Amino acid sequence: MKTICLYFEIHQIIHLKRYRFFDIGIDHYYYDDYENERSITEIAERSYMPALNTLGDMIKENNGLFKVAFSISGVGMEQLEMHAPQVIAKLQELNETGCVEFLAEPYSHGLSSLANEEAFAADVKKQCKKMKDYFGKEPTVLRNSSLIYSDDIGGQVAAMGFKGMLTEGAKHVLGWKSPHYLYNCNIAPNLKLLLRDVELSDDISLRFNNSEWEGYPLFADNYINRIAALPEEEQLINIFMELSALGIAQPLSSNILEFMKALPACAKEKGITFSTPSEVCAKIKSVAAIDVPDTLSWVDEERDASCWLGNAMQREAFEKLYSVADRVRIVSDPRLSQDWDYLQASNNFRFMTTKPSNVGLDRGIYSGAFDAFTNYMNILGDFISRVKALYPEEIDNEELNALMTTIRNQGDEIEMKDKEIVRLKTKIEKMQASEEKLKAKLEKAKPAAKTTAAKAPATKKRCVKKTTEE
């Protein structure tokens, strides 16, 4: 039986303000608050709320047979918290249906997986905590920023304890293989890999409203018929896209939401179900390992990391940012930690690209790649100065590593003690409950004992009287 795994990404760009060289050391605030509020408010009204309302209706109308997954970057959640809390409330409402799964991803929506293993682990762990706080469950499947993946990254993700990971079903990786099977990591067989069907996903997210496209107009029954016509043994169809595709990339006037709403009924007619990523990992067996020695992503025709690290400017900015990764991880300053999250976001490097792309790139305030590079490097210069003020360069790597080891060991010890405290509290609660039950039994037994004691002398008296009469 074929199953569709439908997944949406929610992430919001943090817009940086115009920051001059002479601002370094004076101005430590880097963001365009007006543009951040305007953009997230607009996307919430035009895309997120209409799309989530439609997905909620799809769940209700199909009695739990329709299922969907989301991943939300931590910085995206922060923007929603400040400017569009109704989106979070709607997501929580969908979560209560039991038909929605929330995935893990880097908090920053950054490129830490390409730079620093411990920074990547911390980035993911921070986002997982946010997901658990809002939705009550720790994610078991990870989706890296822009579906970035390689064998080494898969090994890191498996070591973090995840059961599955989403990535791109790129032709240069699959070769003759089909993306419609479940695969596993080459160096960590226990990590299942769900590969995006590029064509079926992009038909909705990129081409749906293109009147020049040969598949236009796209109808739900034809779309499902294409899936049903796939070879019988190809059971898994992964359709991954940004949630903003519904309303922004494909305007509401294109009837994109009506198309989405018709999918479950059409799928049911063909015996096709919907599954969440964790359900796929639990129910379907991997058919083979996928060999991905080089970085894979879902961006541009090359499906690699060249859109972020393809030129000298991008690589210089990337290396300079992550040169302080180890120092930032031991910083307890909330403001500095937030700046670290925002400056890691992949769009900062994307704005510096000089390569052509089939997807339009809105650089915002920047006139071009060099302008984006200059502005970012000015901000980064100030940020790194603040980090070095806390942890001067005089502290060499060996000292820093020793300090980090101590902090890490203390963290592990605190975590163990917290677990022990929870265990002891549970034990005490059980003992108190047992004690209360015992007290209740004793209280219940007391009146019966008094009654027995009162009756005993009367019996004895009657016996004595009888003896006397005889």
Side-chain angles (χ1 to χ4, degrees):
M1 180 182 290
K2 288 179 169 56
T3 191
I4 296 172
C5 182
L6 183 62
Y7 151 83
F8 294 100
E9 174 206 7
I10 299 177
H11 168 64
Q12 179 60 30
I13 290 174
I14 302 295
H15 296 273
L16 302 178
K17 70 181 182 182
R18 181 64 68 180
Y19 193 91
R20 310 290 181 183
F21 175 79
F22 298 103
D23 294 326
I24 298 174
I26 299 173
D27 183 3
H28 303 317
Y29 192 77
Y30 312 134
Y31 314 107
D32 185 339
D33 290 337
Y34 172 80
E35 182 58 25
N36 284 325
E37 182 176 0
R38 185 204 64 78
S39 58
I40 189 63
T41 301
E42 180 182 11
I43 201 171
E45 291 177 356
R46 289 175 53 194
S47 171
Y48 290 170
M49 288 307 296
L52 293 174
N53 284 329
T54 297
L55 293 170
D57 291 341
M58 292 163 70
I59 290 172
K60 291 175 185 176
E61 291 170 6
N62 291 279
N63 300 316
L65 297 178
F66 173 75
K67 298 178 181 180
V68 64
F70 300 94
S71 75
I72 315 170
S73 69
V75 297
M77 284 292 284
E78 288 185 18
Q79 292 297 295
L80 293 173
E81 288 168 343
M82 287 188 286
H83 306 303
Q86 71 274 19
V87 175
I88 297 177
K90 188 63 184 180
L91 287 166
Q92 290 175 320
E93 181 184 320
L94 294 180
N95 182 53
E96 291 173 1
T97 66
C99 297
V100 175
E101 180 177 2
F102 292 91
L103 310 184
E105 73 162 67
Y107 191 95
S108 66
H109 197 272
L111 307 175
S112 54
S113 60
L114 302 176
N116 186 296
E117 187 173 336
E118 292 191 354
F120 177 50
D123 213 4
V124 171
K125 185 176 181 180
K126 186 175 180 180
Q127 190 266 358
C128 286
K129 183 181 183 303
K130 195 127 186 143
M131 293 300 99
K132 187 173 183 181
D133 289 345
Y134 273 105
F135 306 111
K137 191 175 181 181
E138 191 93 10
T140 59
V141 176
L142 183 136
R143 178 261 185 201
N144 200 4
S145 309
S146 299
L147 298 187
I148 291 173
Y149 177 78
S150 69
D151 291 336
D152 289 339
I153 292 171
Q156 294 174 39
V157 170
M160 292 182 210
F162 290 100
K163 297 177 181 178
M165 185 172 179
L166 276 54
T167 190
E168 181 77 341
K171 291 180 181 178
H172 72 274
V173 170
L174 285 171
W176 58 268
K177 300 183 183 73
S178 167
H180 304 140
Y181 294 94
L182 187 66
Y183 295 92
N184 62 266
C185 174
N186 192 32
I187 62 175
N190 290 332
L191 182 73
K192 306 286 184 65
L193 299 178
L194 291 79
L195 307 186
R196 185 176 87 112
D197 185 304
V198 178
E199 183 177 353
L200 288 171
S201 299
D202 289 352
D203 282 352
I204 298 175
S205 62
L206 298 182
R207 294 183 281 269
F208 184 82
N209 195 43
N210 182 5
S211 59
E212 297 180 0
W213 170 46
E214 60 181 10
Y216 180 88
L218 182 62
F219 295 106
D221 54 351
N222 292 337
Y223 188 80
I224 293 297
N225 287 342
R226 286 165 57 192
I227 294 174
L230 293 170
E232 186 178 349
E233 61 274 14
E234 297 187 10
Q235 297 183 1
L236 177 61
I237 296 85
N238 298 309
I239 301 172
F240 305 160
M241 68 191 81
E242 297 176 357
L243 186 61
S244 60
L246 310 182
I248 302 297
Q250 308 304 320
L252 298 181
S253 59
S254 68
N255 293 323
I256 183 67
L257 295 184
E258 286 71 15
F259 167 85
M260 294 297 299
K261 203 167 184 179
L263 289 177
C266 295
K268 187 178 180 181
E269 287 181 4
K270 297 293 182 179
I272 299 171
T273 63
F274 287 83
S275 301
T276 62
S278 61
E279 288 176 340
V280 169
C281 293
K283 295 178 182 178
I284 300 178
K285 291 184 179 180
S286 168
V287 296
I290 289 290
D291 185 18
V292 189
D294 301 316
T295 305
L296 172 67
S297 80
W298 73 354
V299 181
D300 293 344
E301 290 296 322
E302 294 81 1
R303 313 289 179 186
D304 58 14
S306 60
C307 66
W308 306 291
L309 303 174
N311 63 46
M313 293 185 295
Q314 292 170 309
R315 291 190 291 272
E316 181 181 346
F318 178 80
E319 290 167 6
K320 188 169 184 179
L321 174 68
Y322 284 101
S323 68
V324 295
D326 291 337
R327 294 172 187 270
V328 172
R329 277 205 318 280
I330 58 176
V331 169
S332 58
D333 185 324
R335 177 74 179 277
L336 209 60
S337 296
Q338 185 181 61
D339 290 339
W340 172 246
D341 291 333
Y342 292 176
L343 293 178
Q344 283 189 87
S346 62
N347 58 276
N348 293 314
F349 301 94
R350 178 96 165 124
F351 292 151
M352 302 175 201
T353 187
T354 52
K355 63 178 285 193
S357 172
N358 62 342
V359 179
L361 175 61
D362 180 5
R363 298 184 200 264
I365 63 171
Y366 305 125
S367 59
F370 185 73
D371 188 25
F373 170 73
T374 303
N375 200 68
Y376 183 79
M377 292 302 281
N378 286 341
I379 291 173
L380 194 54
D382 182 78
F383 175 76
I384 290 177
S385 296
R386 291 163 59 204
V387 174
K388 288 180 178 178
L390 288 173
Y391 297 99
E393 289 183 322
E394 288 73 22
I395 301 177
D396 60 25
N397 286 337
E398 192 172 325
E399 289 180 275
L400 187 62
N401 287 334
L403 179 60
M404 289 180 67
T405 300
T406 301
I407 292 172
R408 196 180 300 114
N409 291 340
Q410 288 176 342
D412 292 342
E413 188 176 345
I414 290 170
E415 188 175 350
M416 289 176 62
K417 287 182 177 179
D418 285 343
K419 288 180 180 178
E420 181 65 14
I421 289 170
V422 171
R423 189 186 69 80
L424 290 173
K425 279 184 177 179
T426 303
K427 188 175 181 179
I428 290 170
E429 287 172 359
K430 287 181 179 179
M431 291 173 65
Q432 288 175 339
S434 298
E435 186 178 346
E436 291 297 326
K437 286 181 181 179
L438 183 59
K439 283 182 179 179
K441 285 182 180 179
L442 291 173
E443 290 296 327
K444 193 174 181 180
K446 280 182 181 179
K450 287 178 180 178
T451 303
T452 304
K455 288 180 179 179
T459 304
K460 186 175 180 181
K461 190 174 181 180
R462 283 196 299 270
C463 293
V464 170
K465 188 176 180 182
K466 186 177 180 179
T467 304
T468 306
E469 288 175 355
E470 289 176 353

